[in-house]
Amino acid sequence: MASFGIALGGGGVRGMAHISALEVIDDCGIQPTVVAGTSMGAIVGALYASGIPGKVIRGEVDQFIIGKDDDLGDVLSKAPNLLKWLNVLRPEFRRGGMVKADGLLKYVTEQIGAATFEDLEIPFYAITTDFWTGKQVVIHTGDLVPALKASMAIPGVFAPIAIGDKILVDGGVVNNLPYDILSKQCDHTIAIDVAPTRKPGDKRIPSMLDSVLGMFDILVEQVVSHKLEQTPPTIYCRPEIIGVRTLDFDHIEDVYEMAKPAMESLRADLQKFIDTM
C-alpha cells in the first residue's frame, strides 16, 4: 500500500490553514507515515504527529477565538481560554528578538503530552537553520520543545535558540516547505504552503515589524518557488490568504474562511489520486 508524508510550511497565523488541510486528509482516509514542519507548520505538525486528529486540533484552537456566530454565552464560556490567549505571543524586547513565544509552546506541549520526538506516534521532523553556517538542520530526535522554538525563531522577531553547539533560527530561511526531506521515507508527499498572497496595489508604508516579516516572506517565497519548479511534491496546496500578517492571531477565523476554496481543491486532488492507485 502506498505511503504518504505530509509537509506543513511556515507562515505564522496563516499556518492555522494547516488544521483545515489535516481535516481534509483525515476525511480522505489517509494515514501519513511521516510528518515534517517548518515554523508554525512544525507546531501544528507536532500536534498532529502526537496522534491528535485535525478536527480535534481545530476544536482546541476554537476555544481561543471569538467566532462570528458566537453569542454571549459562548464568549463567557471561552473567557478563561481567551485570557490565556493573551499570553500566547507577547512582546519581549530582549537580545535577539521582540516577541516571546513561551505561552504558545507551553500550551502546545500540554496538548501533545510528549516531551521528546520519540514519544510521538508518527515520525516527525522539525526544520531549523544554523544561524552561523546558513545550513538546514533537521531535528527528529531528543527534546521536542527546544526544536519547536528553534523552528519558529524568525530572525529579529523571536530570539535564536541554542541546541548543542548550534545557534538555530527559523527553518523557513532555508526550507519553508520541507516535502523534499520526506521523499526517501514515503511514496508520495502532500505539501501545504501557507505563504501570503500579496496585493500589488497596496500602497501603505509598512511598520518596522511588518517590514521585517514581509521581507522574510519574500525571501522564503523565492526559495520555495525555485524548489517547486525543480522537484514538485505529489500533491500541492496553497490557500489564497490575503491581508493576514504573520502575527495576526486575531484573524484565525479569517484564515479558515479564506482557505476553504483551496481545501475543496485539495479534497478533489486527493480523492482523484486515491482513485487511481
Side-chain angles (χ1 to χ4, degrees), residues 6-9 34-38 41-42 45 123-127 178-179 181-182:
I6 299 175
L8 306 178
V34 61
V35 177
T38 300
F124 172 64
Y125 294 77
I127 312 304
Y179 61 88
I181 71 164
L182 304 179

Side-chain angles (χ1 to χ4, degrees), residues 15 30 130 138 179 221 229:
I30 294 173
D130 186 318
V138 180
Y179 61 88
E221 190 168 3
E229 291 176 0

